[in-house]
Amino acid sequence: MGQVDGFLTYERHQLQYEEVADRVKHYEEFVKPVSEKETNEQAARCMDCGIPFCHSGCPLGNKIPDFNDAVYRGEFKEAWGILKSTNNFPEFTGRICPAPCEGSCVLGINNDPVSIEHVEKTIAETAWAEGWEQPHDIKVKTGKTVAVVGSGPAGLAVADQLCKQGHDVTVYERDVQAGGLLRFGIPDFKLDKKVVQRRIDQMKESGIKFELGVEIGKDIQATELEDKFDALVLTTGATKARDLPIPGRELEGIYPAMKFLKANSSVVQGEADEVPAELHAGGCNVVVIGGGDTGSDCVGTSNRHGAKSITQIELLDKPSESRETTNPWPEWPMILRTSTSQKEGVERSWSILTKEFIGENGKLTGLRLVDVEWTDKSKFQFNEIEGSERVVPCERAYLAIGFLGPEQGILEQLGVETTDRSNVKDNMYQTSKENIFAAGDCRRGQSLVVWAISEGRKAAYSVNKYLKTL
Ligand SMILES: Cc1cc2nc3c(=O)[nH]c(=O)nc-3n(C[C@H](O)[C@H](O)[C@H](O)COP(=O)(O)OP(=O)(O)OC[C@H]3O[C@@H](n4cnc5c(N)ncnc54)[C@H](O)[C@@H]3O)c2cc1C
Ligand code: SF4
């Protein structure tokens, strides 16, 4: 363990950000650098508490007290070795993970938890800067071939793990660039795409092939891949967005969040010239429907477009400021959070039902809203509050109300079974067909990057076991 009384000596360091007025003018990351001394002090706060609940809080099982101790001693290469033993891409999770580990940190019972995510990012970036992150040097090849469909974090983790085992891996991606939601979902100001590309380039140098702009099921039949490769891994994500089929839905100005975010990211990343005018939020009254993280990304992007006003509404009621008794430590705290995007300017409201989209000449001009009172959340029952109905001006509504699972075309072509929630059905990541595997959002439903990496690692283990039987 590092400094015995570190948690008594040092406060948690809150990350500092570029001023709002400056950062909304660009799409770059805006976290201010943290000094080596401060990082060392943050690592020193780890108590090495005996039963590190953070291990199980982290879906990857990152060995957090061990890398904290190494950072405290200034042994960054050792810390990187510990971190890499469980996490293929700590440069991603160190930036955009909601850090469930911190929710289960023992110090968090009666104090601020250790800044685990910050320490993770620092280790990862030190490793890249020092040149410790190198392509895999594969000495023995197995001669076995694997196709991975989808290049999000799950697909990248599967590919990385199987490459290390000596298999020949080809990743197929329908988008023009690799990374899945890391590339075109999560905005650039949260995750710089140079960081994503750096990893993809390194994976290519390791021998992993990337076939971009190829949609399996359309450009190449899925069954063709099945015949060509020894194993097939589906990591296609859960990209089917939930719609809001209420009166007026046909009006121009109402878009799924991902359509808006992807159009914007494509411009920022130089893949398109401009965001189509009908999607752009500039000068508009924007209402983001859905109070979650995807909605928050729409808020950050709308602010950068120069929206006239931004409102984010949520059907569920407002979370409490601190843990409810029904949500004790070490569970993930279901509390009110305000993202950096929301801090840039938005009016947030809860317990609001959208009843109708209103328009003129085919274009959206307003939303009819009503306040609701929840009577039984477990049964999804609520009452509309009489007299609260009103129309708010709105020329752009972005729907960020969740995802319904993976697209079914490729699954139907391959004939793999699905669950009653339309996700891929599996047994230890092996689908109903023994040579086909699945991981990430297409298996578990829309989730988190850290879960996608974790699933990719576990699926790779199953694939490797299967390939050994051939
Ligand atoms: C807007 C947004 C913001 C988010 N922000 C965060 C965040 O800050 N932190 C966090 O932890 N999580 C976040 N998430 C969730 C996280 O991004 C996902 O859980 C994660 O990316 C899932 O990884 P995946 O590899 O399973 O799928 P995806 O990342 O969705 O990748 C699937 C890939 O498969 C490709 N594909 C699909 N079908 C085919 C086909 N037939 N042929 C070829 N390619 C195909 C898709 O084009 C895509 O590139 C966010 C999600 C969204 C929508
Ligand atoms: S990956 Fe996420 S949960 Fe795991 S240690 Fe890093 S920040 Fe915590």
Side-chain angles (χ1 to χ4, degrees), residues 259-285:
K259 187 165 182 176
F260 173 58
L261 294 173
K262 190 172 181 184
N264 193 67
S265 295
S266 300
V267 174
V268 176
Q269 294 166 39
E271 301 294 348
D273 290 336
E274 54 186 27
V275 176
E278 68 276 12
L279 268 173
H280 204 278
C284 296
N285 293 296

Side-chain angles (χ1 to χ4, degrees), residues 88-89 136 146 148 150-171 203 206 208-210 233 235 456-457 460:
N88 301 59
F89 314 124
H136 304 309
V146 183
V148 178
S151 68
L156 295 180
V158 170
D160 198 44
Q161 290 293 96
L162 291 174
C163 170
K164 278 195 265 182
Q165 303 284 349
H167 306 306
D168 278 320
V169 185
T170 307
V171 180
M203 291 177 72
S206 297
I208 297 168
K209 296 186 204 80
F210 284 85
V233 190
T235 51
R457 292 171 64 86

Side-chain angles (χ1 to χ4, degrees), residues 57-62 64 67 87 93-94 97-102 116-117 120 450:
C58 172
L60 286 160
N62 277 353
I64 296 159
F67 68 58
N87 188 353
T93 47
C97 189
C101 55
E102 294 184 11
I116 300 167
E117 188 180 11
E120 182 175 26
V450 63

Side-chain angles (χ1 to χ4, degrees), residues 77 196 273 328 340-341 442 448 469:
K77 194 163 188 183
V196 179
D273 290 336
T340 49
S341 288
C442 72
L448 295 173
T469 66

